[in-house]
Amino acid sequence: MITAPAGSGKTEIFLFTMLYKLLLDLKHGVKRKIMIVYPRKFLEVDQSERLIKLIKILNDKLKATSFRHREFSIIIRDGDTVVIENEVERVSRASRDERPVEVEFRGIKCGQNGTLKILVSVNPRDERIVCKESDGKYEDYSFVKWHRRPSKDTNIIVTNLHTLFFRVIAMSNDDLDASDILGETPVDMIVFDEVHEYEPAELGLLYFTLKALNYVRGVKNLSPLKVLLLSATIANAADLARELTDEDALILNYGDIVSRERSRIEMLEKSGRIGLTKKLVILGILTISPTYSWETYTSQLAVTLLYMNNALRMLNKGVKQTIIFLNNVRELNRVHSIIENDLQLGSPLDNACLRGSWGSILDHVKYRYSLCHYTYMLQNSQSGSIEISKFINDVSGYGHAKSYLFPRLAKVFSGTPLSERLKLVEEIRNEDVYVIIATSSLELGVDYPGVTVVANIGLSEKLPSLIQRFSRAGRRLSETLNTTLALLIVRNNPLEYTRLFEAIKTKALSFLVKGSLTFDVIEKLPKTSLSSISVEVARDLDVIKKLGLLRALLTLTALNGKYHGLKMLESEEEECKALINLHNYLKEYREVLAEMYRESDKLIDSILEHELGFKNILECKEHFSMLKQIDHCMGFIQNRANEVDEIIKILKDISEILHEVNSVNVCKELEDVIKHLGDHIIKKYNKILEELRQKVRFTDNDLKRVAEDVARLDHDLQQLCEGLREKLIKLIIEVLNNKEVLPKISPKISHVFKLVASINDKCDDVKSVKSGENPCKLVTSKVHM
């Protein structure tokens, strides 16, 4: 387990460890694979670029040795692999030229200033990866594999956790499968980078996967799987490693090593043999004025930075790229639209003294930190630059700078299509983009040398996530002077202010500057803060245990050539056959699974009785039919609960209006109805829903009781609706006849009538389902799982 700050070299530790291991295996005539697992595609591609450069150097060195006919290979095997294969096939079919056609390969840089390309040929056997340099020349990079088939025999497999979970249960002649991971040339080492990023349930499944892999390795007389975990932001490194592997790990902590080896490091620094680079982090905590929304503030921040960087580029003073992190894609798209609208409306021309009177009022020297200062510099350089002169004239003529600034804005999220990702990566590296608004997809390990400013919108993310985000900037001395401007923008809501005050109280915000959670830092944290920076492994939950055990079963069946765990099931009958096969395999491998996992006997009995409890296809089909009917019943109950909730909201609106005119008696009657609907009807509907969601096995009596409860509730609701109509009409007449109340309510009487009409419509919806048409009465089956 390696824990070290972002940018401190932990990646290099595992890269050189891995290369050393490959060379050692080569020397001893052993062929084994290494798998590297990343949690994000952007990180996966970014790190693969470094790996490919190292392997190219290693392969070139091998040519001068007795191993000159050998070379190491690498593949990135993830969801995009199939996308790339489909693109190559499409290009191949469309091409009528005998000359090879190029297909971009993940935007990975190579050589001096080249990019990896797939050369698509008329003959598929001639298709290979090359490095195309800026002068158009090709260099062979065929050690980089792009197709699924070579993954079966590649030295280094770069992937993600979900692909690993899929491939260990697969049985395939054309793709990585269980036999490739555990066969004659097995995966001998797995590296998990940024391990803190995984959810407890994912790590729980990983625990069972590693147990299964190690069991099979033991049977084959292989040494235990070597597991390397890396993170910059984890408080419980030793506990996490033990929970994942049932073993005590070797912990390499950056802070401890630097402290322990201080004298040696100082000696090496003095001799010039090493240099420890320090980073300056300027942390700004900003709270937004209540008169502005956080979206408006974020848009203005982005627009300001776009204008500033555009000026710096035209003045040849170096772009200060910015990443603005948002919490989700919905927020991302909303902010992106607001920025576009603000630019269209002329922002930031007023602040930049290109519109209005600010230019004549502000002193350019005194206010040199405003946007006017950048405009003043542009105007002073206008005579010597056609580009600057055109910009000022165009902006003054159009009344906005959108055509100049909006193309310099990028948005990045995990669902960005591969082709767009490749284009974005190229634009960010070339500094064609000044401001990037992103979700967590750019949070980890991605190295963009020009990024100087990072802003995080909101304080909803956990501390490790914030540390990672602010670590994206100031990563290269020549571009950024190793300096980061880190802006933490707190939105105007009580929850975020509570988190801010708690973080100040516990001094947790100082870790954003430190960039890491080293042991000495963790020791100073109060125990209440440790939970937010600790990573848990949910290996003791029954559902994770069962799923882990069944996945181990699929690994064994795939390894023995009996069953392909990823087989597409195209009908209910095929699904039933597969489940019955699993039932039989579970009995067959029961003793093996018992050796693999503690307390597996009870789990197997439970699975055989419940999840896989049918004896034949007919019983299985009846089970699926029953599940569909239960789903239909649950949908009906949920709709009913929603209708009641809407009725409650409307009644509350009516009650609020009547409260304003002091009609106390009327309000009391409405509040009684609201209380009955909320405490009696909705609570019972939700209770039935919860039972249906959680219960695995149903008896005939269970289903009969559910149907009776729903029918009774539905009858009560229809009766209540009938009484409610009469009560509302009576209440309105009572209000209209009250000479003291009438003048006060007259301005709102039309709104009250609309609300009453809405209640009437809702009650009509309730009445539209007759008592004999209750969907829950249809739930019957001979088999109830």
Side-chain angles (χ1 to χ4, degrees):
M1 179 84 193
I2 301 174
T3 61
S8 63
K10 63 180 179 296
T11 300
E12 280 68 22
I13 292 175
F14 90 72
L15 287 182
F16 286 109
T17 300
M18 179 191 71
L19 294 178
Y20 173 76
K21 186 181 182 312
L22 287 174
L23 286 168
L24 207 60
D25 286 347
L26 180 63
K27 178 183 176 182
H28 294 298
V30 179
K31 188 167 184 182
R32 292 179 288 204
K33 305 183 186 78
I34 295 172
M35 186 175 281
I36 310 173
V37 180
Y38 292 106
R40 299 270 195 280
K41 282 186 179 178
F42 275 97
L43 178 60
E44 186 182 281
V45 172
D46 184 77
Q47 297 295 313
S48 292
E49 187 171 299
R50 298 163 75 177
L51 262 168
I52 288 167
K53 286 178 181 177
L54 283 173
I55 296 169
K56 177 70 169 67
I57 294 168
L58 196 60
N59 285 337
D60 288 345
K61 294 289 183 184
L62 284 176
K63 290 174 183 176
T65 71
S66 58
F67 299 106
R68 58 184 173 276
H69 299 300
R70 300 287 300 276
E71 69 173 12
F72 296 115
S73 55
I74 180 173
I75 186 168
I76 306 174
R77 176 64 183 91
D78 60 11
D80 286 339
T81 307
V82 178
V83 176
I84 292 168
E85 286 180 15
N86 292 339
E87 177 62 13
V88 169
E89 187 176 351
R90 185 193 68 78
V91 170
S92 179
R93 287 179 178 176
S95 176
R96 297 176 181 175
D97 198 334
E98 291 187 3
R99 291 177 300 177
V101 181
E102 298 171 3
V103 172
E104 187 87 6
F105 183 68
R106 298 177 184 261
I108 293 176
K109 295 290 183 184
C110 57
Q112 294 298 316
N113 194 28
T115 308
L116 287 186
K117 308 280 186 182
I118 302 172
L119 285 187
V120 182
S121 175
V122 176
N123 184 355
R125 291 183 179 180
D126 294 334
E127 289 171 348
R128 59 196 172 96
I129 286 186
V130 297
C131 177
K132 184 181 181 182
E133 290 287 359
S134 53
D135 60 3
K137 292 181 179 178
Y138 293 141
E139 183 177 4
D140 183 58
Y141 267 64
S142 55
F143 66 89
V144 181
K145 309 301 178 184
W146 59 273
H147 199 280
R148 282 173 289 177
R149 180 68 183 82
S151 67
K152 299 179 77 64
D153 198 40
T154 304
N155 296 102
I156 302 169
I157 302 159
V158 178
T159 188
N160 55 60
L161 192 60
H162 296 285
T163 303
L164 169 61
F165 284 161
F166 287 146
R167 302 326 307 170
V168 295
I169 63 172
M171 188 174 70
S172 171
N173 292 325
D174 301 310
D175 199 353
L176 185 71
D177 66 7
S179 63
D180 302 316
I181 295 170
L182 289 161
E184 292 181 4
T185 58
V187 171
D188 196 53
M189 173 188 283
I190 305 183
V191 180
F192 296 95
D193 198 10
E194 308 293 1
V195 73
H196 64 274
E197 275 298 304
Y198 297 113
E199 294 294 326
E202 292 176 312
L203 293 175
L205 288 177
L206 178 57
Y207 164 78
F208 284 97
T209 301
L210 294 176
K211 289 286 282 186
L213 295 180
N214 268 324
Y215 175 82
V216 174
R217 290 177 67 86
V219 171
K220 291 175 173 281
N221 293 319
L222 297 172
S223 61
L225 185 69
K226 297 165 187 66
V227 178
L228 187 56
L229 309 171
L230 298 98
S231 175
T233 50
I234 188 169
N236 60 331
D239 291 340
L240 172 64
R242 194 179 302 111
E243 283 291 299
L244 269 178
T245 62
D246 282 336
E247 293 181 22
D248 290 325
L250 169 65
I251 309 293
L252 300 178
N253 179 270
Y254 175 87
D256 287 354
I257 293 172
V258 170
S259 177
R260 189 171 62 245
E261 303 289 343
R262 173 60 62 190
S263 59
R264 188 174 174 216
I265 290 169
E266 288 174 355
M267 183 184 70
L268 291 170
E269 280 186 299
K270 286 176 183 177
S271 66
R273 292 177 64 187
I274 66 168
L276 292 181
T277 303
K278 293 183 179 179
K279 183 192 287 189
L280 172 64
V281 179
I282 304 167
L283 176 62
I285 301 170
L286 308 177
T287 56
I288 301 171
S289 167
T291 55
Y292 296 99
S293 69
W294 69 265
E295 293 97 335
T296 300
Y297 186 90
T298 305
S299 173
Q300 288 305 303
L301 176 65
V303 166
T304 299
L305 289 162
L306 283 168
Y307 185 88
M308 181 193 79
N309 278 303
N310 192 60
L312 289 172
R313 186 192 61 79
M314 288 192 288
L315 293 164
N316 295 316
K317 291 185 180 293
V319 170
K320 311 302 177 193
Q321 282 181 308
T322 300
I323 301 176
I324 299 176
F325 283 104
L326 296 144
N327 292 325
N328 52 58
V329 177
R330 184 167 54 86
E331 288 183 0
L332 187 82
N333 289 330
R334 188 161 74 243
V335 168
H336 190 264
S337 298
I338 293 170
I339 294 170
E340 184 178 12
N341 290 336
D342 283 352
L343 288 170
Q344 182 67 46
L345 293 170
S347 187
L349 300 190
D350 287 328
N351 295 338
C353 299
L354 281 170
R355 189 172 66 180
S357 58
W358 284 113
S360 59
I361 296 172
L362 294 180
D363 182 284
H364 296 298
V365 177
K366 186 177 179 182
Y367 293 97
R368 64 187 180 278
Y369 300 114
S370 71
L371 284 184
C372 292
H373 174 65
Y374 293 93
T375 301
Y376 179 64
M377 288 196 296
L378 289 173
Q379 289 169 339
N380 281 349
S381 305
Q382 185 174 355
S383 59
S385 170
I386 296 172
E387 182 186 19
I388 293 175
S389 179
K390 185 176 185 305
F391 170 75
I392 292 174
N393 291 335
D394 285 351
V395 168
S396 302
Y398 299 149
H400 64 76
K402 181 183 173 183
S403 60
Y404 284 91
L405 303 185
F406 192 63
R408 305 295 188 174
L409 174 74
K411 64 174 182 177
V412 178
F413 58 98
S414 59
T416 305
L418 177 62
S419 57
E420 288 183 36
R421 282 208 311 275
L422 297 178
K423 183 172 178 286
L424 278 171
V425 168
E426 187 73 14
E427 288 176 339
I428 294 170
R429 282 177 171 159
N430 293 339
E431 296 187 347
D432 295 328
V433 166
Y434 305 150
V435 177
I436 306 111
I437 55 174
T439 58
S440 58
S441 54
L442 282 189
E443 182 178 301
L444 301 172
V446 180
D447 188 8
Y448 295 121
V451 176
T452 305
V453 183
V454 173
N456 193 81
I457 309 301
L459 197 52
S460 55
E461 295 302 312
K462 291 184 177 180
L463 182 61
S465 185
L466 290 175
I467 293 173
Q468 289 286 352
R469 292 179 179 191
F470 288 142
S471 296
R472 294 310 101 215
R475 294 174 71 91
R476 188 171 296 180
L477 180 64
S478 59
E479 303 281 344
T480 66
L481 298 179
N482 282 45
T483 302
T484 298
L485 175 59
L487 302 175
L488 180 59
I489 297 163
V490 184
R491 294 182 286 199
N492 282 312
N493 67 61
L495 183 58
E496 290 203 9
Y497 276 103
T498 301
R499 288 176 179 149
L500 174 63
F501 295 139
E502 181 66 25
I504 293 171
K505 180 182 174 183
T506 61
K507 300 182 179 179
L509 290 178
S510 64
F511 307 140
L512 300 181
V513 179
K514 292 178 183 294
S516 173
L517 294 171
T518 54
F519 286 164
D520 60 322
V521 169
I522 293 166
E523 285 175 0
K524 296 173 186 175
L525 276 176
K527 290 183 179 179
T528 52
S529 301
L530 289 176
S531 60
S532 65
I533 53 174
S534 297
V535 179
E536 304 299 327
V537 181
R539 55 186 252 187
D540 294 325
L541 296 175
D542 276 351
V543 66
I544 299 295
K545 286 180 179 179
K546 286 184 176 182
L547 190 53
L549 189 128
L550 287 171
R551 291 184 59 80
L553 174 66
L554 289 172
T555 298
L556 294 171
T557 55
L559 197 57
N560 292 323
K562 292 186 175 182
Y563 189 76
H564 176 37
L566 301 180
K567 181 183 177 182
M568 293 295 294
L569 303 173
E570 297 179 358
S571 67
E572 192 176 274
E573 181 153 341
E574 283 189 15
E575 192 167 347
C576 283
K577 285 180 180 177
L579 291 172
I580 289 168
N581 284 337
L582 278 181
H583 178 106
N584 295 331
Y585 289 139
L586 192 56
K587 288 182 175 178
E588 181 183 343
Y589 287 95
R590 181 171 190 141
E591 290 183 8
V592 176
L593 292 168
E595 289 180 30
M596 202 179 291
Y597 303 118
R598 300 189 305 267
E599 302 175 2
S600 64
D601 276 340
K602 290 181 180 178
L603 284 174
I604 292 171
D605 288 338
S606 178
I607 293 170
L608 290 174
E609 184 180 355
H610 298 149
E611 285 82 2
L612 300 175
F614 19 77
K615 300 179 182 65
N616 52 53
I617 290 177
L618 180 62
E619 283 189 3
C620 177
K621 286 184 174 180
E622 287 178 348
H623 169 67
F624 279 120
S625 175
M626 182 269 296
L627 288 180
K628 288 176 185 176
Q629 292 173 36
I630 286 179
D631 283 342
H632 189 39
C633 172
M634 288 173 68
F636 172 77
I637 296 170
Q638 188 63 66
N639 286 337
R640 275 290 192 254
N642 292 342
E643 286 166 351
V644 174
D645 195 46
E646 288 178 28
I647 290 171
I648 289 173
K649 287 176 183 175
I650 297 168
L651 288 175
K652 283 181 177 179
D653 288 343
I654 296 172
S655 179
E656 190 176 328
I657 293 170
L658 296 178
H659 260 300
E660 291 176 13
V661 297
N662 297 321
S663 184
V664 178
N665 293 335
V666 174
C667 291
K668 179 67 172 67
E669 291 188 51
L670 286 181
E671 285 169 3
D672 289 342
V673 174
I674 291 168
K675 193 171 187 310
H676 179 73
L677 286 169
D679 292 349
H680 177 68
I681 305 245
I682 281 192
K683 276 190 177 178
K684 287 199 173 179
Y685 275 138
N686 288 337
K687 186 179 178 182
I688 295 170
L689 276 175
E690 193 63 25
E691 182 184 355
L692 289 174
R693 287 191 188 109
Q694 291 188 354
K695 206 171 181 70
V696 177
R697 180 175 180 175
F698 292 94
T699 65
D700 285 328
N701 287 335
D702 290 331
L703 298 176
K704 184 178 178 182
R705 179 173 49 77
V706 167
E708 288 173 353
D709 287 347
V710 172
R712 195 179 301 112
L713 275 173
D714 215 43
H715 178 265
D716 290 350
L717 184 57
Q718 294 192 30
Q719 291 291 107
L720 189 142
C721 264
E722 286 300 319
L724 188 57
R725 291 183 216 251
E726 296 175 10
K727 187 170 289 188
L728 285 173
I729 293 169
K730 184 180 175 182
L731 292 176
I732 290 172
I733 292 171
E734 183 182 323
V735 170
L736 293 176
N737 288 334
N738 190 323
K739 293 180 181 179
E740 292 180 8
V741 172
L742 185 58
K744 297 178 184 177
I745 201 173
S746 290
K748 297 183 178 181
I749 196 68
S750 61
H751 184 51
V752 172
F753 283 146
K754 285 180 183 177
L755 292 172
V756 172
S758 297
I759 291 280
N760 194 55
D761 290 342
K762 293 296 172 190
C763 285
D764 283 343
D765 291 340
V766 169
K767 196 175 180 182
S768 64
V769 178
K770 298 176 183 178
S771 60
E773 297 173 353
N774 176 359
C776 296
K777 284 191 173 181
L778 300 175
V779 181
T780 56
S781 175
K782 294 177 183 176
V783 181
H784 311 300
M785 303 304 299

